[in-house]
Amino acid sequence: MTRSLRELVKEYITERRVRKYRLVTRDGRCNIEFGNVMHRNRFAYVLDIWTTFVETRWRFVILHFVASFTLSWFIFGLLWYWIARDHGDLKWQNPPSNRTACVNSVNTLTYAFLFSLETQTTIGYGDVYITDVCPGAVALLIIQSLMGTIINCFWCGVVMAKIALPKKRAKTITFSDSAVICPKKGTLCLQIRVANLRKTLMIGSQIYGKLLRTTITPEGETIILDQVSIDFMVDAGKDNLFFVCPMTLYHIIDKSSPFFDMAVDTLHQQEFELVVFLDGTAESTSSSCQVRTSYIPQEIMWGYDFLPIISRSKEGKYRVDFSNFAKVVPVPTAHCAYCYHNEAGHHHHSINGIDNQGFVVIDVEMPNITKM
């Protein structure tokens, strides 16, 4: 029997609510905000102005870029206007025709702004130029040239730093949409697949995870983000991975694992978030970067395994089929970790009945039985 529309809407709202409250999004961004930060702590962002601008969004960087140059041109234009006014070179001051001005043709505020722009950008149109009759104008020319060089160097550094951010390299490393739990190498494992979309290696790659959940201590204290370390391994170990092709990471579910007490019918009722980290150094830029993603209980599939993704062609080349990257197939799997390891006393059994679609009621004729 199909479910009603109300049940579908309720399920959709519940799923959206669960996804909304995850700490780390699928693309690695942290869903966290800081409140009631003291004003003196906010001033630290100004002291660390370089990091502040490097981490600022591109639209604000472009806005500050345009504003800094325009403002500096205008401020120095006012200074050039003040020098011309002090020397009596402005039109409304009616200077004599044979008088040598501090800056030739700077007799209005517009010309003062244009000369400021030409000076700072090292543009010379020939009609507006400085003379040697005003020492203050020479000093201002030197100061503006140095300030223009400093502003240019600062913004060139910010743009280059933002372009070369390691997080851009992390965009070419992807994780599977879901995690699976199934037998592997004689034990029950939680598996995740990760792929490097570039042919350049990630040197010194390390994989680890954190299980985030709310716990209550014996003293009655509630810990909102209690972190439990989750070890992930591949066939070659967990350190210095040869990350040249997609790998399947697996976490052994033994007695020390927080997944040991879960079962197929209780997994999606849990409230936790599994955050997976991959640290490494980009081979082409030698910059360290971290890639992270997260999985909630609804994104972990019990009793499934990933399809093979690597094959070898007749020419001897290795081929990676990304169409099977996130595809899974059902495999025989124990109901719970206790069942798999034959641990007594903690077997999980579902209390909800299921429909047996193949069950058919038939009439059976009982034979005549003679009582003795």
Side-chain angles (χ1 to χ4, degrees), residues 183-368:
K184 182 180 178 66
K185 294 185 178 298
T187 184
L188 195 64
C189 296
L190 182 144
Q191 301 183 55
I192 296 172
R193 181 167 278 176
V194 59
N196 180 11
L197 301 181
R198 290 187 179 273
K199 293 184 179 180
T200 55
L201 298 179
M202 291 291 293
I203 303 173
S205 299
Q206 295 182 348
I207 299 286
Y208 58 96
K210 296 290 183 180
L211 188 70
L212 309 179
R213 57 186 178 182
T214 301
T215 58
I216 300 178
T217 63
E219 295 78 13
E221 179 185 2
T222 301
I223 303 177
I224 300 297
L225 290 178
D226 186 22
Q227 302 185 17
V228 180
S229 297
I230 303 294
D231 293 329
F232 283 97
M233 301 182 64
V234 295
D235 293 338
K238 62 179 181 179
D239 296 328
N240 299 323
L241 307 177
F242 186 46
F243 197 12
V244 68
C245 60
M247 298 184 302
T248 301
L249 317 174
Y250 61 90
H251 163 70
I252 299 177
I253 302 179
D254 53 13
K255 293 183 178 180
S256 61
S257 172
F259 295 96
F260 193 76
D261 294 327
M262 302 179 189
V264 62
D265 53 350
T266 62
L267 176 63
H268 292 175
Q269 301 173 6
Q270 304 290 327
E271 293 185 2
F272 65 83
E273 182 176 351
L274 175 61
V275 184
V276 184
F277 303 87
L278 188 149
D279 297 338
T281 303
E283 183 182 28
S284 55
T285 61
S286 299
S287 57
S288 301
C289 67
Q290 182 183 86
V291 190
R292 51 186 175 266
T293 189
S294 70
Y295 297 91
I296 56 178
Q298 289 74 15
E299 297 169 346
I300 300 178
M301 306 177 66
W302 192 296
Y304 288 84
D305 195 5
F306 291 111
L307 287 175
I309 190 174
I310 301 176
S311 61
R312 191 170 183 177
S313 63
K314 296 180 180 180
E315 294 78 12
K317 293 184 178 181
Y318 293 94
R319 183 176 183 272
V320 179
D321 185 8
F322 278 97
S323 63
N324 291 337
F325 179 75
K327 292 183 179 179
V328 296
V329 59
V331 295
T333 307
H335 182 77
C336 60
Y338 285 97
C339 303
Y340 185 88
H341 295 284
N342 294 323
E343 295 286 339
H346 294 84
H347 294 278
H348 296 268
H349 297 282
S350 175
I351 60 175
N352 300 321
I354 59 175
D355 293 334
N356 186 352
Q357 303 295 338
F359 181 78
V360 179
V361 179
I362 60 175
D363 295 330
V364 179
E365 296 182 0
M366 297 297 295
N368 295 329

